[in-house]
């Protein structure tokens, strides 16, 4: 880790994956926990959903911003293509993208550290083309199956020639060709990014696998990139793991740790269910325990199996109960109640002992488990957590929880901890992950008439926005110990769909003498 610079506050030039809050607001919130500022591009240069950003102008902006910053955190998709979705739908030739990436050579040569993220292209099992090439409707599910059969076909023990032939036949030849040519371009660029890390242009690199599965071309590509990471001997600076939207947040955490000159934060990963960390979460391709370890590394922290770590990461492991966006769990067994209560009890015990505790709720994708969130809030100690997250994929959740927590631990060590920014972020995650995704979003989707499994559209001025604002305000008021409120006029749907919401949370001072309340398994129902 480098010594902390004299400049105050710390400044990080951030080129996000796209304009969504998870990619731009969240990294800024994490930086603020350490009193750091993020420099963001002008909104007019950034993408707007399927409309690419101005990649060349963004490169020019980044070069200028890096001169005024202590470090740069860069999405290579945005620098090369103009955004994440543009990299899927309108991929530029490899040579064109590589030429845009030369901006990074110049920034690195000036002495500014560069931390970057690149992504393995996903193949979602859906016919929704909102974020994909137009032929995803109707060919998305067939492409997902073809991807799995191609991966199986590369492994002799699982080769199924007839099934592969059928999977190919189910997709028109022109679509197959375009799909695979896009993938080979993306893979070539990911290898180029590895070379940039090996040559020292990048101080660190995250390679994320977005929405994949154990059998998929993306998984094969991830394995090949892991091999090249090992061959190039850059395991200490390159993380290859599931996750995407949280990647710039993890890199901001890593950057802050380096700028603060903090010694490595040690993290103990725990789960109540002894077999839980060996499970693979939906939309991912490795066990959640490995994902957790990868996110710890991506943040510049280290996993510690022994006692007395700097941070306890409590993982609420996948239980296969459903998906809060497309198939909310209807009935939960007694074992789920006991597991959630046991994890909340473990967190409360550690907090009472004065330990730093992060909670990552990976039980179901696309929202928080109400059994766990309710149990945590009823302890009366949730506001003492070092971090909490429970949104979208397990990789998103784990990366967010670890990034927030290690930043807070490191900032406390050196006297840079901003308690208000920390509480605002902690409250935001409870309101968004538990309040919005699990409780409010299903009601909003019902009011809109959303089709299960597909993205919807909410026009500006829709009356459901008032329903949304009222629901978020109520959720904020129900957080014990935070004294949180939603700032008026801040509620919006950034992509005019219900999948994600944006809003500002402000937390007041924690009341003195706040006492924990007892919890029982019966109360978590």
């Amino acid at each position: 880790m480098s010594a902390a610079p004299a400049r105050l506050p710390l400044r990080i030039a951030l080129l996000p994956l796209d304009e969504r809050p998870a990619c731009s607001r969240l990294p800024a919130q994490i930086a603020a926990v350490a009193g750091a500022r993020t420099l963001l591009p002008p909104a007019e240069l950034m993408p707007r959903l399927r409309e690419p950003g101005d990649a060349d102008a963004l490169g020019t902006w980044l070069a200028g911003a890096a001169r005024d910053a202590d470090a740069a955190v860069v999405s290579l998709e945005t620098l090369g293509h103009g955004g994440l979705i543009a990299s899927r739908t309108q991929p530029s030739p490899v040579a064109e993208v590589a030429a845009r990436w030369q901006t990074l050579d110049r920034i690195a040569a000036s002495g500014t550290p560069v931390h970057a993220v690149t992504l393995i292209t996903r193949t979602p099992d859906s016919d929704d083309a909102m974020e994909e090439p137009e032929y995803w409707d109707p060919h998305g599910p067939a492409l997902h199956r073809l991807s799995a059969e191609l991966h199986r076909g590369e492994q002799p023990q699982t080769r199924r020639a007839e099934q592969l032939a059928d999977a190919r036949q189910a997709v028109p030849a022109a679509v197959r060709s375009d799909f695979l040519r896009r993938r080979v371009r993306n893979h070539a660029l990911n290898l180029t990014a590895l070379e940039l890390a090996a040559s020292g242009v990048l101080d660190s690199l995250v390679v994320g696998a977005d929405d994949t599965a154990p059998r998929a071309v993306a998984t094969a590509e991830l394995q090949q990139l892991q091999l090249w990471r090992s061959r190039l001997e850059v395991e200490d600076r390159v993380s290859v793991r599931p996750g995407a939207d949280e990647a710039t947040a993890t890199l901001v955490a890593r950057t802050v740790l380096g700028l603060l000159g903090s010694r490595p934060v040690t993290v103990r990963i725990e789960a109540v269910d002894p077999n839980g960390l060996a499970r693979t979460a939906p939309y991912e391709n490795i066990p959640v325990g490995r994902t957790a370890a990868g996110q710890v590394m991506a943040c510049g922290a280290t996993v510690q199996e022994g006692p007395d770590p700097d941070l306890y990461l409590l993982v609420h492991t996948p239980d296969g109960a459903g998906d809060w966006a497309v198939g909310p769990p209807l009935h939960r067994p007694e074992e789920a109640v006991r597991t959630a209560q046991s994890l909340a009890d473990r967190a409360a015990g550690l907090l009472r002992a004065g330990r730093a505790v992060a909670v990552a709720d990976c039980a179901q994708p696309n929202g928080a488990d109400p059994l766990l969130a309710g149990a945590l809030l009823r302890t009366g100690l949730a506001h003492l957590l070092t971090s909490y997250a429970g949104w979208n994929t397990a990789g998103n959740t784990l990366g967010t929880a670890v990034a927030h927590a290690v930043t807070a631990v490191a900032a406390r060590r050196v006297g840079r901890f901003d308690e208000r920014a920390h509480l605002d972020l902690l409250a935001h995650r409870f309101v968004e992950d538990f309040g919005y995704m699990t409780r409010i979003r299903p009601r909003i989707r019902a009011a809109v008439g959303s089709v299960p499994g597909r993205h919807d559209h909410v026009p500006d001025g829709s009356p459901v926005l008032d329903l949304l604002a009222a629901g978020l305000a109520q959720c904020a008021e129900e957080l014990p110990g935070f004294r949180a409120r939603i700032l008026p006029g801040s509620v919006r749907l950034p992509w005019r769909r219900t999948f994600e919401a944006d809003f500002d949370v402000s937390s007041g001072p924690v009341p003195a003498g706040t006492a924990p309340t007892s919890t029982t398994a019966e109360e978590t129902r």
Side-chain angles (χ1 to χ4, degrees), residues 10 12 14 21-22 24-38 245-257 260 299 386-389 391 396-409 411 416-418 421-422 424-426 429:
L10 303 177
I12 301 170
L14 172 63
S24 55
R25 174 194 285 271
L26 176 59
Q29 289 173 311
I30 288 171
V33 171
R37 288 181 53 206
T38 50
D245 295 346
E246 84 298 337
T248 46
T250 63
L251 285 175
V252 163
R254 186 185 186 102
T255 301
V256 168
L257 262 64
L260 293 180
C299 291
T386 308
S387 70
Y388 167 85
W391 65 283
N396 296 152
T397 287
L398 286 159
T400 301
V402 175
H404 180 184
V406 300
T407 301
V409 169
R416 297 279 190 92
F417 180 64
D418 187 323
H422 162 71
D424 286 352
L425 175 52
L426 191 59
R429 294 265 55 95

Side-chain angles (χ1 to χ4, degrees), residues 15-20 23 45-56 58-59 75-92 97 100-101 117-119 121 131 186 189 245 495:
L15 185 59
L17 285 166
D18 56 42
E19 74 279 24
R20 287 173 299 162
C23 303
L45 301 184
M46 289 292 289
R48 291 180 177 82
L49 191 50
R50 292 180 69 89
E51 180 184 343
D54 187 333
D56 293 324
L58 286 168
S75 160
L76 296 182
E77 273 73 19
T78 304
L79 181 59
H81 301 280
L84 173 59
I85 293 181
S87 74
R88 299 173 185 162
T89 60
Q90 303 179 39
S92 301
V97 173
R100 289 173 178 150
W101 286 0
V117 56
T118 188
L119 299 178
T121 302
E131 301 179 37
N186 176 262
L189 287 167
D245 295 346
W495 274 4

